[in-house]
Amino acid sequence: RKEVEQDPGPFNVPEGATVAFNCTYSNSASQSFFWYRQDCRKEPKLLMSVYSSGNEDGRFTAQLNRASQYISLLIRDSKLSDSATYLCVALGMAGTASKLTFGTGTRLQVTL
Amino acid sequence: DADVTQTPRNRITKTGKRIMLECSQTKGHDRMYWYRQDPGLGLRLIYYSFDVKDINKGEISDGYSVSRQAQAKFSLSLESAIPNQTALYFCATSDPNYREGNTQYFGPGTRLTVL
């Protein structure tokens, strides 16, 4: 089982729709979580951190459910420019060093 | 100018050749990383360095070596390239002193093809 699992998609949604992605993680000791955005053939960029209480940044809302070990990302009022792959990332420990584990990503395609 | 740069951006080479990928950063970060990305496998850590004198293996270091020439430079070498090292390679930096200290800042990537 992968440490961080995501539905690869693609999720095809019309402009203006609300779309949600889930991500599950297997290491219950994971400390922090993040969502990165990666455009086609480009580098990943941090979209937002995921806080225990949930957090919102404009049209984006991230939630963490430690009991069920999943993270979610909700995008409201989707824009064409939201089309990208969204990577779920968990921070844990590998020995004494922290370790980031990346999911394989969920692809979103927003259409007219 | 980009904060994290990688050279070359694209490279095609043959099996058995030695290849070096270079990474430079102007962010002043101490921590630097090399990842590879393969379809269906996500980003995997090859090596990381927390300062000039510190080099650590990641989860897939076999077949690779690194050199941290300066705070700003971290290079990845494939001593004898093989086809399954064909991938997209990313360099990244982070700064533990920043509030979001685990944020990774990625370079634009190097697409390597080994024939």
Side-chain angles (χ1 to χ4, degrees):
Chain A
R1 183 185 172 189
K2 292 179 182 174
E3 286 190 50
V4 176
E5 292 207 64
Q6 299 182 249
D7 180 342
F11 283 60
N12 294 300
V13 303
E15 213 176 7
T18 294
V19 61
F21 310 135
N22 282 342
C23 161
T24 59
Y25 61 95
S26 60
N27 184 355
S28 59
S30 296
Q31 303 164 341
S32 306
F33 305 90
F34 311 88
W35 284 101
Y36 278 71
R37 172 194 167 125
Q38 185 173 22
D39 292 297
C40 188
R41 297 180 178 272
K42 296 288 184 72
E43 71 273 23
K45 294 183 180 179
L46 179 69
L47 177 65
M48 57 197 305
S49 301
V50 185
Y51 301 127
S52 296
S53 55
N55 48 300
E56 189 174 305
D57 183 1
R59 298 181 293 108
F60 298 84
T61 300
Q63 296 277 354
L64 167 62
N65 185 319
R66 283 197 182 272
S68 300
Q69 294 186 202
Y70 78 81
I71 309 107
S72 64
L73 178 67
L74 182 78
I75 305 176
R76 289 180 298 279
D77 189 22
S78 299
K79 311 290 184 192
L80 293 174
S81 58
D82 293 333
S83 298
T85 296
Y86 291 84
L87 308 178
C88 174
V89 185
L91 175 69
M93 295 300 292
T96 57
S98 57
K99 172 191 169 188
L100 285 174
T101 301
F102 289 79
T104 54
T106 297
R107 191 163 143 246
L108 171 66
Q109 184 67 50
V110 182
T111 57
L112 286 171
Chain B
D1 286 342
D3 294 321
V4 184
T5 57
Q6 293 182 232
T7 56
R9 296 293 312 279
N10 288 282
R11 182 72 185 268
I12 300 174
T13 191
K14 294 183 178 179
T15 297
K17 294 290 188 183
R18 184 177 189 273
I19 297 296
M20 179 181 285
L21 309 183
E22 301 193 3
C23 176
S24 293
Q25 53 114 345
T26 58
K27 299 185 78 67
H29 291 172
D30 285 329
R31 299 185 174 189
M32 298 186 73
Y33 310 79
W34 275 105
Y35 292 90
R36 65 178 278 178
Q37 187 174 37
D38 299 273
L41 293 177
L43 281 155
R44 292 180 293 166
L45 183 63
I46 306 172
Y47 269 96
Y48 62 101
S49 168
F50 284 177
D51 66 41
V52 176
K53 297 178 183 178
D54 176 76
I55 301 288
N56 303 281
K57 292 183 177 181
E59 59 185 295
I60 53 161
S61 58
D62 287 350
Y64 301 95
S65 62
V66 290
S67 173
R68 185 80 185 267
Q69 302 95 320
Q71 187 208 37
K73 295 184 182 295
F74 192 35
S75 58
L76 175 72
S77 294
L78 287 67
E79 299 302 325
S80 178
I82 55 176
N84 77 1
Q85 291 178 312
T86 293
L88 185 55
Y89 289 83
F90 287 105
C91 173
T93 73
S94 70
D95 178 4
N97 298 313
Y98 177 52
R99 187 174 68 88
E100 297 280 358
N102 292 298
T103 301
Q104 306 265 300
Y105 296 88
F106 288 87
T110 295
R111 187 165 295 278
L112 176 67
T113 302
V114 183
L115 301 175

